[in-house]
């Protein structure tokens, strides 16, 4: 009961943000990254515009290295909800064969995520893009506004963010400027899972523990999702009971050992956890301020 | 009163303030900010509090150890400020630039903490954090005492309606844990804050870096027997917002097809049921609620904080920015707004400026008419001023140049707070809260307001400001007549002319008598509050 009122309040806040964007921007889009936060984001968007259907498209930036189960889930979700799904892959990056294993996480992320995202936003002329980032994820996220104004070349200037007192948003912008909007800013990881349970929102099965083929690399458990992951001399594939706390490109996403096979077990495990969810993300560890730097360059 | 009745009367907090809301474990929620001058140790205090309450994950603790060696300001020791200063510019400069929101909990309560910058240049970010806080921890460096920024932050905290202040007198180790220093700063602050209207001020002696008086009493300050910081945070009761009349600011007209026309928005306050008569403001058109759609489907009722879509029984013209309220109400447009402003941007604001105001869901052009005063940062006293520059706080009269429905902030935070926006650059220039609204429409004149405010009207039948004003005007005409003609007859004729010509003179009168009354339509149904301002 208590839990419900807390989640309903977050839900109302997010719906308010969705409507505010749609009422004041010309061409919004929802950035859909297939993970649990995106699942909640999409669910809230549908609620915000009910009884009508989602009045804007959903964009997935496909790096070509997502888990296969993620892609299957994405296509099934689009079908089930009747979404206008746009999938974009950076054609130059694809042609150049950019990948995390050959070029490293920094180059891969820049070309296949940041640049790809900018291409897609420019190509379609979107002036507002919803993302599922939460302030509790990471320190520079904690500093970001709900409405994040980006220059025509998509850059973020953390020093000149617009103040947002009382959830009162100045949604005016000049030609070429755009907003990244984060309706889940005030949600925590626990809230996201509690809400998924409350609303029975489908999520990618990779979040639940199962025996999976993994290899230990740089202190992380990397799942071998296809044979592009070639083994180094002393590496061996082991089958371990693992799940994922966050999802991204499979060679950059560490699994955690777990026996949480159900939603309830995941919730229980999370309440006990002593490590943050981004621990499994290889991309965050590039350098101390990596996320902030990527954001300034136009990353979500 | 039996507990059940008390519980039923407890109003739901206004969106978006959290108020005393339960979290998943059934704990109540407190939103607070840490504020104060630069280098007083705000980020260190919050970082240490996160550390002590177990909110720091193991991998984050490892990162802290690495960052402390590289950026730390405390030698090899952990620099707790690095847990909250997330921007590289902040770590490099050792200052906080932007507000950071952190979430943590104890077995007794969940917290949303906003760590706000002390640097004067980033006051706007501090004000953002303050706007949704229930309580403020105001830090003071024991060596420096109360500084201009301490006063400025206090006045911003007061401006946005925070009622409880914890005065954290930090770095007590650097003054030899001297109780006299603590008492002197405490009494200086209490004298200063007397005009700010706080409900409570608790003073604490701290060493945030070492944790003294944070979660445990300090062996180094045995003279302090009061509560620790965490004791206070766990027990402060957030002030409950007023749950007034039903207001739904229309955010978006939901028209997915020809058969459905709904009005979406978040209920600002009050309650509504299907079938209730409603009025669309500021126009005053009447209708009735046909359906209420909530995120959980169709419902019979909605209340403050709910994100709803309603349909009306009639084909009524409603647009974003209109406000749906309950009952039959006349048209109502705000004539002037008496507001307190905090300037957030670099543009200097002065009477004569034409700006945009975003209030609720409405964005309207406004004219900055008068600057009544600016608060002095020295002693928070009102001083005459010609303009307001960045970080300036002042009282102004604004005139909306399009129909607008507004309310005083203490009646409805959502319809009583606004942003001022530059129409050309789109920059956010100022935030404001409304103290009083004068009505422009004749329909909303005081005579009509008696049914909205029966209690006030009955209590003070002859002392309403309009009547006093009109009596004084008549008297002035009589005196002028006497002076001009030197006869009693002349005085009587002019006084009579005033009476006959009153309708023509009303607008003139409004210009010369700065109107500072609550709107005729304010209608807060809680009788206990009604006599409060009289």
């Amino acid at each position: 009961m208590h839990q419900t009122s807390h989640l309903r309040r977050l839900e109302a806040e997010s719906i308010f943000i969705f409507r505010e964007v749609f009422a004041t921007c010309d061409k919004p889009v929802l950035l859909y990254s297939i993970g649990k936060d995106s699942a909640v984001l999409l669910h809230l968007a549908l609620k915000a515009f009910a009884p009508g259907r989602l009045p804007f498209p959903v964009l997935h930036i496909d790096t070509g290295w997502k888990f296969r189960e993620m892609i299957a889930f994405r296509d099934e979700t689009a079908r089930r909800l009747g979404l206008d799904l746009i999938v974009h892959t950076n054609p130059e990056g694809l042609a150049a064969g950019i990948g995390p294993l050959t070029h490293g996480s920094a180059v891969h992320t820049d070309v296949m995520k940041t640049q790809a995202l900018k291409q897609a936003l420019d190509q379609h002329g979107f002036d507002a893009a919803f993302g599922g980032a939460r302030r509790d994820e990471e320190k520079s996220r904690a500093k970001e506004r709900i409405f994040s104004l980006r220059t025509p070349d998509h850059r973020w200037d953390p020093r000149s963010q617009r103040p947002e007192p009382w959830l009162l948003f100045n949604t005016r912008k000049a030609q070429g400027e755009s907003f990244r909007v984060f309706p889940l800013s005030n949600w925590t990881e626990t809230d996201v899972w509690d809400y998924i349970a409350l609303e029975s929102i489908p999520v990618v099965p990779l979040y639940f523990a199962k025996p999976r083929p993994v290899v230990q690399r740089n202190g992380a458990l990397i799942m071998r999702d296809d044979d592009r992951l070639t083994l180094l001399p002393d590496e061996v594939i082991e089958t371990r009971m693992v799940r994922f706390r966050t999802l991204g490109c499979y060679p950059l996403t560490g699994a955690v050992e777990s026996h949480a096979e159900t939603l309830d077990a995941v919730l229980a495990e999370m309440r006990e956890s002593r490590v943050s969810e981004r621990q499994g993300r290889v991309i965050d560890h590039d350098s101390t301020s990596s996320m902030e730097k990527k954001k300034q360059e136009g990353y979500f | 009163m039996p507990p059940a009745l008390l519980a039923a009367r407890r109003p739901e907090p206004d969106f978006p303030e959290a108020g005393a809301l339960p979290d998943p474990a059934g704990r109540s929620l407190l939103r607070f900010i840490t504020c104060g001058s630069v280098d007083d140790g705000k980020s260190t205090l919050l970082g240490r509090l996160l550390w002590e309450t177990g909110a720091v994950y193991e991998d984050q603790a490892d990162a802290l150890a690495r960052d402390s060696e590289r950026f730390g300001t405390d030698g090899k020791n952990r620099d707790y400020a690095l847990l909250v200063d997330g921007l590289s510019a902040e770590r490099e400069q050792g200052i906080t630039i932007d507000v950071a929101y952190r979430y943590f909990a104890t077995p007794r309560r969940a917290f949303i903490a906003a760590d706000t910058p002390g640097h004067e240049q980033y006051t706007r970010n501090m004000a953002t954090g303050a706007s949704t806080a229930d309580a403020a921890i105001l830090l003071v460096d024991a060596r420096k005492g109360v500084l201009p920024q301490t006063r400025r932050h206090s006045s911003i905290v007061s401006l946005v309606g925070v009622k409880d202040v914890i005065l954290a007198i930090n770095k007590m180790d650097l003054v030899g844990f001297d109780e006299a220093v603590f008492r002197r700063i405490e009494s200086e602050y209490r004298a200063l804050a007397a005009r700010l209207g706080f409900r409570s001020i608790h003073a604490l002696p701290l060493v945030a870096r070492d944790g003294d008086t944070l979660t445990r009493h300090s062996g180094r300050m045995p003279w302090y027997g009061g509560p620790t910081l965490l004791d206070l945070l766990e027990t402060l009761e957030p002030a409950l917002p007023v749950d007034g009349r039903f207001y739904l600011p229309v955010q978006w007209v939901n028209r997915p097809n020809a058969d459905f026309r709904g009005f979406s928005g978040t209920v600002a306050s009050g309650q509504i049921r299907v079938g209730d008569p409603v009025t669309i403001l500021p126009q005053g058109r009447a209708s009735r609620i046909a359906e209420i759609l909530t995120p959980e489907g169709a419902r019979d009722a909605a209340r403050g904080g709910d994100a709803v879509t309603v349909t009306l029984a009639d084909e009524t013209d409603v647009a974003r920015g209109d406000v749906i309220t309950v009952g039959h109400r006349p048209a109502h447009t705000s004539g002037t707004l008496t507001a307190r402003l905090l300037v957030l941007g670099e543009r200097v604001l002065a009477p004569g400026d034409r700006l945009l105001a975003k209030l609720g869901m409405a964005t309207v052009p406004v004219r900055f008419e008068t600057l009544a005063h600016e608060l002095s940062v020295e002693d928070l006293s009102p001083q005459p001023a010609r303009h307001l520059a960045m970080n300036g706080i002042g009282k102004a009269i604004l005139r909306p140049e399009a129909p607008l429905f507004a309310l005083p902030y203490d009646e409805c935070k959502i319809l009583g707070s606004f942003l001022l926006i530059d129409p050309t650059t789109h920059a956010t220039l100022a935030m404001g809260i409304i103290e009083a609204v004068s009505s422009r429409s004749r329909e909303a004149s005081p005579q009509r307001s008696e049914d909205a405010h029966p209690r006030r009207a009955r209590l003070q039948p002859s002392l309403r400001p309009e009547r006093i004003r009109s009596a004084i005007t008549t008297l002035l005409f009589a005196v002028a007549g006497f002076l001009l003609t030197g006869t009693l007859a002349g005085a009587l004729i002019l006084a009579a002319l005033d009476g006959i010509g009153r309708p023509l003179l009303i607008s003139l009168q409004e210009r010369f008598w700065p109107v500072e009354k609550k709107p005729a339509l304010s209608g807060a149904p809680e009788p206990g509050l009604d006599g409060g301002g009289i």
Side-chain angles (χ1 to χ4, degrees):
Chain A
M1 189 61 203
H2 284 320
Q3 179 177 345
T4 310
S5 70
H6 170 71
L7 293 173
R8 290 298 172 212
R9 183 162 202 87
L10 288 169
E11 177 186 65
E13 182 180 286
S14 302
I15 288 174
F16 174 86
I17 295 162
F18 271 113
R19 289 172 173 169
E20 193 65 1
V21 170
F22 190 68
T24 59
C25 293
D26 293 329
K27 201 174 174 190
V29 66
L30 187 147
L31 260 288
Y32 179 67
S33 65
I34 317 174
K36 62 184 191 308
D37 303 304
S38 277
V40 167
L41 194 68
L42 188 56
H43 188 79
L44 290 164
L46 292 167
K47 285 191 175 212
F49 303 103
R53 53 197 295 269
L54 195 67
F56 44 76
V58 165
L59 172 66
H60 177 231
I61 300 301
D62 193 347
T63 61
W65 290 87
K66 301 296 171 188
F67 290 88
R68 283 172 296 163
E69 278 183 83
M70 288 173 72
I71 301 300
F73 181 86
R74 175 195 75 191
D75 294 341
E76 158 58 21
T77 301
R79 206 167 29 245
R80 177 169 51 87
L81 301 174
L83 302 177
D84 174 8
L85 173 71
I86 300 169
V87 177
H88 179 83
T89 304
N90 183 346
E92 292 117 53
L94 197 63
I98 303 285
L101 297 172
T102 44
H103 296 78
S105 71
V107 171
H108 171 71
T109 304
D110 179 55
V111 176
M112 300 310 282
K113 289 176 87 172
T114 308
Q115 301 308 327
L117 173 63
K118 290 199 240 179
Q119 284 170 354
L121 295 178
D122 290 342
Q123 198 177 314
H124 295 272
F126 295 122
D127 67 340
F130 295 103
R134 309 184 321 265
R135 285 177 176 149
D136 79 325
E137 278 178 78
E138 202 267 341
K139 278 188 284 189
S140 72
R141 293 272 198 222
K143 299 267 171 177
E144 188 149 12
R145 296 287 186 269
I146 292 172
F147 277 67
S148 179
L149 184 65
R150 302 296 170 104
T151 59
D153 56 350
H154 303 280
R155 293 182 72 89
W156 178 60
D157 180 2
R159 283 162 183 271
S160 63
Q161 301 197 78
R162 286 180 178 170
E164 291 177 346
W166 305 290
L167 277 191
L168 201 48
F169 303 109
N170 173 2
T171 58
R172 299 175 74 86
K173 55 184 165 24
Q175 189 70 34
E177 288 180 337
S178 62
F179 285 111
R180 306 285 171 89
V181 186
F182 304 103
L184 304 183
S185 287
N186 289 324
W187 295 57
T188 63
E189 188 188 10
T190 311
D191 295 329
V192 165
W193 280 113
D194 284 339
Y195 189 69
I196 285 169
L198 178 73
E199 295 277 306
S200 309
I201 302 170
V203 291
V204 186
L206 291 163
Y207 286 114
F208 305 110
K210 205 175 105 171
R212 294 186 169 98
V214 293
V215 58
Q216 277 217 357
R217 184 174 287 183
N218 301 327
L221 287 175
I222 303 297
M223 176 172 152
R224 192 188 202 193
D225 197 45
D226 57 40
D227 53 17
R228 287 180 294 176
L229 186 90
T230 47
L231 297 183
L232 301 174
D234 10 325
E235 284 181 342
V236 283
I237 297 285
E238 303 167 71
T239 299
R240 292 213 205 169
M241 192 73 173
V242 293
R243 68 179 203 90
F244 294 87
R245 246 175 112 175
T246 65
L247 293 177
C249 295
Y250 83 81
L252 301 177
T253 309
V256 290
E257 303 221 70
S258 165
H259 289 277
E261 296 173 78
T262 62
L263 196 51
D264 285 344
V266 167
L267 286 171
E269 186 186 275
M270 235 187 33
R271 294 190 204 287
E272 295 300 309
S273 173
R274 289 303 310 145
V275 293
S276 78
E277 67 183 311
R278 297 202 79 87
Q279 192 210 25
R281 290 271 184 124
V282 178
I283 131 170
D284 290 358
H285 302 319
D286 287 350
S287 74
T288 304
S289 315
S290 62
M291 177 68 85
E292 181 187 353
K293 206 160 138 272
K294 285 189 197 54
K295 272 149 52 72
Q296 287 185 22
E297 287 159 2
Y299 180 68
F300 231 75
Chain B
M1 196 181 288
L5 269 179
L6 272 174
R9 272 186 49 82
R10 185 185 172 90
E12 278 283 306
D14 267 6
F15 180 86
E17 288 72 33
L21 277 168
D23 80 330
R27 296 167 293 203
S28 67
L29 176 70
L30 186 85
R31 287 182 184 239
F32 68 89
I33 59 166
T34 54
C35 59
S37 197
V38 72
D39 269 344
D40 285 347
K42 297 174 291 296
S43 302
T44 304
L45 179 135
L46 185 56
R48 179 89 200 201
L49 205 54
L50 291 170
W51 183 268
E52 301 243 342
T53 54
V56 178
Y57 286 124
E58 284 164 11
D59 54 316
Q60 293 168 335
D62 293 344
L64 174 64
R66 283 197 306 274
D67 288 353
S68 296
E69 283 198 14
R70 189 161 155 206
F71 303 109
T73 53
D74 194 22
K76 288 264 172 208
N77 297 324
R78 281 187 217 102
D79 181 351
Y80 295 97
L82 295 174
L83 284 171
V84 280
D85 282 341
L87 300 175
S88 55
E90 295 181 321
R91 282 187 285 205
E92 281 154 16
Q93 297 173 39
I95 62 162
T96 302
I97 290 172
D98 212 337
V99 54
Y101 297 92
R102 297 300 302 249
Y103 309 81
F104 69 101
T106 65
R108 292 173 72 180
R109 189 170 246 182
F111 300 95
I112 299 179
D115 178 41
T116 69
H119 207 282
E120 192 179 331
Q121 189 186 346
Y122 301 108
T123 299
R124 59 178 183 273
N125 298 331
M126 177 272 163
T128 294
S131 69
T132 50
D134 302 308
I137 302 177
L138 184 69
L139 273 97
V140 172
D141 184 327
R143 293 168 303 173
K144 299 178 191 162
V146 174
L147 295 172
Q149 194 68 337
T150 321
R151 290 188 282 266
R152 180 178 283 123
H153 281 187
S154 297
S155 57
I156 292 170
V157 159
S158 153
L159 175 83
V160 297
V162 172
K163 293 288 173 216
D164 299 294
V165 169
I166 298 170
L167 182 71
I169 301 174
N170 193 25
K171 309 193 184 182
M172 286 299 294
D173 53 331
L174 302 180
V175 294
F177 304 101
D178 185 350
E179 183 181 4
V181 173
F182 171 75
R183 295 291 167 212
R184 192 176 66 237
I185 296 172
E186 180 188 4
S187 61
E188 185 190 349
Y189 186 77
R190 284 190 190 279
L192 165 85
R195 58 170 93 214
L196 294 177
F198 296 129
R199 180 177 67 177
S200 76
I201 298 170
H202 292 275
L204 299 178
L206 300 178
V207 186
R209 191 194 57 213
D210 300 341
D212 300 64
T213 330
L214 242 55
T215 60
R216 287 180 298 273
H217 279 95
S218 164
R220 303 192 282 186
M221 290 177 284
W223 46 264
Y224 177 75
T228 64
L229 181 62
L230 194 62
D231 289 340
L232 280 175
L233 291 175
E234 287 185 323
T235 53
L236 273 179
E237 277 304 318
L240 288 171
V242 181
D243 194 39
R245 181 183 273 271
F246 172 80
Y247 291 109
L248 173 64
V250 175
Q251 188 175 18
W252 172 62
V253 179
N254 185 349
R255 227 164 33 176
N257 56 56
D259 302 328
F260 187 87
R261 185 177 157 80
F263 306 104
S264 299
T266 299
V267 180
S269 61
Q271 292 193 51
I272 194 80
R273 303 193 73 83
V274 169
D276 281 351
V278 291
T279 304
I280 319 303
L281 295 170
Q283 303 88 344
R285 281 189 290 275
S287 190
R288 193 170 287 280
I289 297 283
E291 294 165 275
I292 300 173
L293 304 179
T294 74
E296 295 161 82
R299 288 285 183 274
D300 292 335
R303 62 192 311 173
D306 292 349
V308 298
T309 298
V310 300
T311 63
L312 300 178
D314 312 277
E315 286 275 326
T316 313
D317 181 25
V318 182
R320 172 176 165 91
D322 291 345
V323 176
I324 300 176
T325 189
V326 71
H328 295 295
R329 313 284 292 275
H332 183 279
T333 283
S334 303
T336 57
L337 311 174
T338 305
R340 290 209 280 161
L341 299 180
L342 166 65
V343 179
L344 305 169
E346 280 166 14
R347 177 171 162 184
V348 173
L349 301 183
D353 285 350
R354 287 197 139 78
L355 310 163
L356 288 174
K358 178 162 184 187
L359 186 150
M361 294 297 106
T363 303
V364 296
V366 293
R367 201 181 121 83
F368 189 145
E369 288 215 327
T370 320
L371 180 58
H373 62 246
E374 176 174 12
L375 283 192
S376 142
V377 187
E378 290 313 310
D379 60 359
L380 303 181
S381 64
Q383 299 290 333
R386 302 169 75 99
H387 49 72
L388 277 181
M390 186 155 89
N391 300 332
I393 298 174
K395 186 189 279 200
I397 309 227
L398 306 174
R399 181 175 292 273
E401 296 184 320
L404 175 73
F405 179 73
L407 289 170
Y409 187 69
D410 59 12
E411 254 174 68
C412 179
K413 285 195 172 184
I414 289 161
L415 293 168
S417 57
F418 60 89
L419 296 177
L420 290 181
I421 298 167
D422 189 308
T424 316
T425 66
H426 311 300
T428 301
L429 303 174
M431 59 193 266
I433 63 131
I434 297 177
E435 285 191 347
V437 183
S438 79
S439 87
R440 186 158 69 199
S441 61
R442 299 298 316 280
E443 290 87 346
S445 66
Q447 284 74 12
R448 290 285 190 90
S449 80
E450 285 181 15
D451 46 2
H453 265 308
R455 193 183 157 88
R456 184 175 298 171
R458 234 180 297 120
L459 280 175
Q460 301 276 335
S462 59
L463 283 179
R464 285 202 311 271
E466 294 73 20
R467 293 199 185 179
I468 300 171
R469 246 182 263 129
S470 99
I472 294 176
T473 312
T474 306
L475 191 69
L476 283 174
F477 268 86
V479 172
F482 184 77
L483 290 175
L484 282 170
T485 62
T487 67
L488 208 58
L492 283 173
I493 287 166
L494 259 178
L497 265 177
D498 167 46
I500 295 159
R502 162 104 37 220
L504 294 172
L505 289 167
I506 279 176
S507 61
L508 195 71
Q509 189 180 314
E510 273 190 4
R511 289 197 82 83
F512 288 103
W513 291 88
V515 184
E516 295 203 25
K517 67 187 171 67
K518 299 213 166 178
L521 291 174
S522 52
E526 279 184 42
L529 289 164
D530 218 1
I534 297 172

